[in-house]
Amino acid sequence: AEEGRYLTQFGAHGSADGQFNCHRGVCTDAEGRIYVADFDNHRIQVLDGEGRCLFKFGSFGGGDGQLDYPIGVRVNSEGHVVVAEWANRRLSVFDGAGRFLRHLGKGLL
């Protein structure tokens, strides 16, 4: 992979586990799990290295734990998952299991 060689691909269009509807952001954590901001499905999917869905979190809306068009995702040094939302104009923070913790900059992005 260091030379930029193709390794694999996974996923398809849709809303089932392992499917995406306009993915916008991707990152990994220290354990090698892959986090995908699934924009039109209003969720984050967490996949293993083979592309199998381990779990997902988020649903459409503006409440705690809900997402409205997530456009980016990162895992910070504490293992918290930070999600940038386009329509809610905020950052939402979740723990490593996908449980909502707090909003940052609600409505200000």
Side-chain angles (χ1 to χ4, degrees):
E2 293 177 12
E3 299 83 29
R5 290 179 292 123
Y6 172 83
L7 296 176
T8 189
Q9 69 183 24
F10 48 82
H13 183 266
S15 59
D17 290 356
Q19 296 181 336
F20 311 101
N21 192 357
C22 196
H23 56 293
R24 291 289 176 108
V26 177
C27 73
T28 59
D29 67 10
E31 286 79 42
R33 294 180 293 196
I34 303 164
Y35 294 74
V36 179
D38 194 358
F39 187 76
D40 283 336
N41 285 325
H42 309 282
R43 66 185 180 186
I44 302 298
Q45 283 198 72
V46 183
L47 312 169
D48 67 12
E50 302 297 316
R52 290 181 295 262
C53 183
L54 300 172
F55 63 96
K56 57 189 178 274
F57 56 92
S59 62
F60 175 71
D64 292 351
Q66 294 182 316
L67 302 171
D68 198 354
Y69 298 109
I71 59 172
V73 61
R74 292 291 179 267
V75 178
N76 69 16
S77 61
E78 297 173 358
H80 294 155
V81 182
V82 182
V83 180
E85 297 177 68
W86 180 71
N88 282 332
R89 299 181 351 203
R90 67 184 180 194
L91 299 174
S92 290
V93 182
F94 299 84
D95 69 12
R99 290 182 294 263
F100 174 77
L101 298 175
R102 65 186 171 276
H103 297 295
L104 300 172
K106 187 172 182 177
L108 299 177
L109 295 178

